[in-house]
Every structure is written in structure tokens, then in C-alpha cells.
Amino acid sequence: MAGHSKWATTKHKKAALDAKRGKLFAKLVKNIEVAARTGGGDPDGNPTLYDAIQKAKKNSVPQDNIERARKRGAGEEAGGADWQNIMYEGYAPGGVAVLIECLTDNKNRAASEVRTALTRNGGSLADPGSVSYLFNRKGVVIMPKNGVSEDDVLMAVLDAGAEEVNDLGENYEIISEAGDMVAVRTALQEAGYDYESAEASFLPSVHVPLDAETARKVFRLIEALEDCDDVQNVYSNFDVSDEVLAEVG
């Protein structure tokens, strides 16, 4: 899975810098609003809100935008939307499974956007439950290396519930049960280590290896899905080797 993780990390960096920055900001702000609505507006008492705010800050979302979203979600300010979580399932080229997590105030629009993005890029919608069993809900913390050894990271997070630490080149990826993620993130902070992001994610239990041609098609489909306004996250079970990743560019 190293290739998959490195691709995701590289893509994340590019997303923060490219012309779609406004769209990325909108998604991050939406996350803050929903987290505040469901768990309260105090980040110290709402770990999901804390992590949503931290992620927004890491991606240079202005503090005013962050605070307004928090207030809307907490009911301190008018204008909050009735956001709903919807998970769609589908297939990408090469038999790759995809889970598409949406946060929307219009189910019909979200479904139409997702269906169009899939069909225009060689994919298809799948029935509920047909691919979700291939994924497990996990906590994923990304931490810049900054000269810290893998052994030091392991020592810091093992007692907090971390299951594995993966070397992604410039970063470490720390996997845990979703319920242990906050403890893992807190353990890193207490050890004096900065982290890039901490969020619950869906990780595949079965992987589909791709050649360069199929990888290009899958990446194109995922990027089309991520361009949809209502799509928050896209999870997939492809695996690409470092050699294929280099060939794809």
C-alpha cells in the first residue's frame, strides 16, 4: 500500500496549492460546521471539531472562515445548512472499489454528480453493501518526519493504541482503530511531535494492483469525484508500486 499512500500524500499537497483551493476550503469549512453541530462548538470538548479546525489551519483556511463555520454549526450564528452524510459505493476501471463520502444539503444533486463523474470516467455506481465490506474504518494520523525516527514514533504511540507506522517518504502514517485516533494524536503532541492531519478513514482490506495505464484512468476518475461539490472523501482499494507511480507521474 506504500504506493497508494504516497500518491494520496502527494495529491493532498498539490490540492492545497492548485487552482481548486477555493473548493478545498469549502469542504474543510463544511467539516467544521458539521462537527460543531454534532458535538458542540468547543474544540477542547469536541475532538472531531478540534481535528477539523487543525486540518483547515494546515491548509491555510483564514481564521475568520473557520470561526464563522464553528459558530454556524454551534448555533451561535444564523445560516447553517442541514448537511447530511451519504456514502455511495462504486467501481472504477480495473475492478477497483470506491467509497464516496458526501456531505450535502441536496441528496438528488449529490447522487447525480457522483453518477455522472463515475460514468464519464469508466466507472459505475454499485448497490449499497457491494464494496463497503472491503474496507475497515480506521484512524489515520499523518506526521512529518522532521528527523524523528520510526522507533521514536512507535514508542510515543504504541500505548495509545497505534497498530502500525508506515514510512511514506517525507511523512509517517500511523494507523489505529478509529476510536483510538484521538489518543494517538494526543500522544504525539505530548511527545512534542507535530502532525499533519488526523482523521477517521476507510482503509481497504483487499488491494487491486494496477499497471500505469489503468492507474491513470483510476486517478482521473477519483479526481473527477473529488471535484464534485458534495463529495468530501473518496476511498479506494487500488495499489500502485513505486515504479508505476513514477511512470504515471
Side-chain angles (χ1 to χ4, degrees), residues 16-28:
L17 299 171
D18 69 11
K20 300 170 190 170
R21 186 169 230 165
K23 189 164 282 189
L24 176 66
F25 280 12
K27 292 184 179 187
L28 295 170

Side-chain angles (χ1 to χ4, degrees), residues 94-105:
V96 169
V98 288
L99 286 182
I100 305 132
E101 190 173 30
C102 293
L103 198 53
T104 183
D105 57 356

Side-chain angles (χ1 to χ4, degrees), residues 52 76-77 89 118 122 131 133 140 142 163 176 209 230-231 234-235:
E76 299 168 21
E77 191 174 285
E89 302 180 32
L118 284 167
V131 303
Y133 73 95
V140 180
I142 302 295
E163 296 175 352
S176 68
D230 290 321
V231 173
V234 180
Y235 308 101

Side-chain angles (χ1 to χ4, degrees), residues 15-219:
L17 299 171
D18 69 11
K20 300 170 190 170
R21 186 169 230 165
K23 189 164 282 189
L24 176 66
F25 280 12
K27 292 184 179 187
L28 295 170
V29 163
K30 200 188 290 186
N31 272 341
I32 292 168
E33 188 176 323
V34 171
R37 191 183 73 190
T38 54
D42 178 9
D44 291 335
N46 182 349
T48 304
L49 175 60
Y50 178 91
D51 287 322
I53 288 173
Q54 291 301 112
K55 186 173 182 180
K57 286 180 176 178
K58 296 277 188 184
N59 284 282
S60 305
V61 176
Q63 182 61 35
D64 283 354
N65 298 39
I66 291 172
E67 186 59 14
R68 282 200 301 271
R70 187 197 65 76
K71 287 181 176 178
R72 283 196 305 271
E76 299 168 21
E77 191 174 285
D82 182 21
W83 301 115
Q84 293 177 286
N85 277 298
I86 309 171
M87 187 74 80
Y88 295 102
E89 302 180 32
Y91 292 102
V96 169
V98 288
L99 286 182
I100 305 132
E101 190 173 30
C102 293
L103 198 53
T104 183
D105 57 356
N106 186 323
K107 283 185 178 181
N108 292 335
R109 182 188 65 222
S112 175
E113 280 190 342
V114 167
R115 187 180 293 108
T116 299
L118 284 167
T119 54
R120 284 183 179 172
N121 292 280
S124 60
L125 267 179
D127 293 331
S130 55
V131 303
S132 58
Y133 73 95
L134 297 170
F135 296 82
N136 297 309
R137 190 74 161 164
K138 293 287 184 180
V140 180
V141 179
I142 302 295
M143 172 193 154
K145 283 187 175 176
N146 292 336
V148 181
S149 74
E150 190 170 331
D151 284 345
D152 286 341
V153 175
L154 273 169
M155 288 293 290
V157 298
L158 265 181
D159 288 344
E163 296 175 352
E164 57 182 296
V165 176
N166 298 316
D167 187 334
L168 304 186
E170 295 178 10
N171 300 300
Y172 293 119
E173 175 187 59
I174 305 156
I175 309 296
S176 68
E177 289 297 327
D180 291 330
M181 184 197 68
V182 172
V184 168
R185 181 253 290 161
T186 302
L188 286 176
Q189 292 172 307
E190 289 175 349
Y193 302 144
D194 190 24
Y195 70 97
E196 181 71 26
S197 63
E199 53 197 335
S201 184
F202 285 94
L203 300 185
S205 55
V206 177
H207 307 118
V208 178
L210 301 180
D211 58 28
E213 183 181 350
T214 310
R216 287 190 189 96
K217 293 176 182 176
V218 171
F219 293 176

